[in-house]
Amino acid sequence: DTGVSQNPRHKITKRGQNVTFRCDPISEHNRLYWYRQTLGQGPEFLTYFQNEAQLEKSRLLSDRFSAERPKGSFSTLEIQRTEQGDSAMYLCASRDPGVAGAPGTGELFFGEGSRLTVL
Amino acid sequence: AQTVTQSQPEMSVQEAETVTLSCTYDTSENNYYLFWYKQPPSRQMILVIRQEAYKQQNATENRFSVNFQKAAKSFSLKISDSQLGDTAMYFCAFMKPFIIQGAQKLVFGQGTRLTINP
């Protein structure tokens, strides 16, 4: 399968614990996004990487959240001291770099998501 | 900031019928992209159709077509000859044009849950 892969698919944790999610994008895609989706809502942007550089972070990304993409390949999203309000689906998506003058089709390819439940 | 509004939380139609999902958006940009994404139950989100704002012609992909009204900032999705496999959440999304090192992130609406009944 050459799509976007996310692990774990489901995580149940107690309030106050730390959790980490991993995303493996499509291999030739240099742009990677994290989104959060709560039940019955559309995804909300969290952060964006171009290669290994984190170029944009949403105000939704509190100090307890940190994301990395150390070699411009896979990415991790860590949530420290989890709260019940962190319960959501965390979606990863990637995009191809496009070519000069035609920077990609705009299509994001999404993974199946990592569902977090904080008790 | 851009906003996307989907005013129909849920819709339900019979198989083979035609259904239209509504979407409005707000932006001061002149050039941008609009998308409809489909999220089946417990499956990943996939692109259904894309429209570039500078193109006057409405996009079509097989049974899926859009009605893009730029002045009205409206972007509806029409599904013809609906099938059971079309049952999913449908999200309308907006994207600003490309800028160097810009996130070019998608801004999503709240979604419409579409059920196709046999």
Side-chain angles (χ1 to χ4, degrees):
Chain A
D1 189 335
T2 57
V4 178
S5 176
Q6 292 190 245
N7 290 287
R9 294 290 311 283
H10 303 275
K11 180 71 176 178
I12 300 174
T13 190
K14 293 182 179 179
R15 187 177 57 186
Q17 298 295 305
N18 298 344
V19 297
T20 299
F21 301 116
R22 174 178 171 128
C23 171
D24 288 90
I26 295 172
S27 59
E28 62 269 26
H29 287 187
N30 68 337
R31 296 164 183 252
L32 186 145
Y33 302 76
W34 284 98
Y35 281 81
R36 181 173 71 186
Q37 184 178 20
T38 53
L39 200 61
Q41 298 298 314
E44 297 172 293
F45 171 77
L46 291 179
T47 190
Y48 162 70
F49 289 86
Q50 188 167 316
N51 301 309
E52 67 277 6
Q54 188 175 19
L55 296 184
E56 188 168 339
K57 293 194 291 185
S58 163
R59 286 172 293 179
L60 293 175
L61 216 64
S62 74
D63 292 344
R64 297 183 298 104
F65 287 70
S66 62
E68 294 182 343
R69 193 181 183 197
K71 295 182 180 179
S73 55
F74 72 91
S75 175
T76 58
L77 177 67
E78 181 183 16
I79 309 173
Q80 297 182 326
R81 305 181 303 283
T82 52
E83 302 174 355
Q84 289 183 327
D86 297 332
S87 295
M89 178 76 84
Y90 291 86
L91 298 172
C92 178
S94 68
R95 282 183 59 203
D96 65 69
V99 297
T105 64
E107 180 178 359
L108 265 65
F109 292 83
F110 284 84
E112 294 190 39
S114 293
R115 181 171 297 282
L116 173 65
T117 301
V118 181
L119 301 176
Chain B
Q2 288 72 31
T3 58
V4 178
T5 302
Q6 294 178 249
S7 59
Q8 304 152 313
E10 294 188 29
M11 296 189 72
S12 178
V13 298
Q14 296 298 119
E15 193 175 7
E17 290 183 345
T18 294
V19 60
T20 299
L21 308 183
S22 301
C23 172
T24 59
Y25 58 94
D26 187 25
T27 184
S28 58
E29 303 280 346
N30 186 52
N31 194 20
Y32 46 86
Y33 302 92
L34 294 166
F35 303 82
W36 280 97
Y37 274 85
K38 169 185 178 181
Q39 188 177 40
S42 302
R43 300 287 301 277
Q44 70 259 52
M45 201 168 316
I46 57 174
L47 178 66
V48 175
I49 199 165
R50 182 181 74 246
Q51 175 82 41
E52 290 92 343
Y54 64 86
K55 290 186 177 179
Q56 293 185 340
Q57 186 173 6
N58 289 325
T60 299
E61 289 286 343
N62 301 313
R63 298 182 295 107
F64 299 87
S65 61
V66 299
N67 183 3
F68 173 48
Q69 300 290 326
K70 190 173 184 179
K73 297 181 181 176
S74 169
F75 183 62
S76 61
L77 174 69
K78 185 172 81 171
I79 306 174
S80 303
D81 185 27
S82 57
Q83 301 174 0
L84 297 179
D86 296 333
T87 293
M89 284 289 290
Y90 285 82
F91 293 98
C92 178
F94 172 99
M95 180 185 284
K96 292 169 69 172
F98 172 79
I99 57 173
I100 295 174
Q101 295 197 332
Q104 211 176 2
K105 56 185 176 286
L106 285 171
V107 176
F108 287 89
Q110 307 92 318
T112 295
R113 183 177 303 280
L114 176 64
T115 302
I116 309 300
N117 299 307

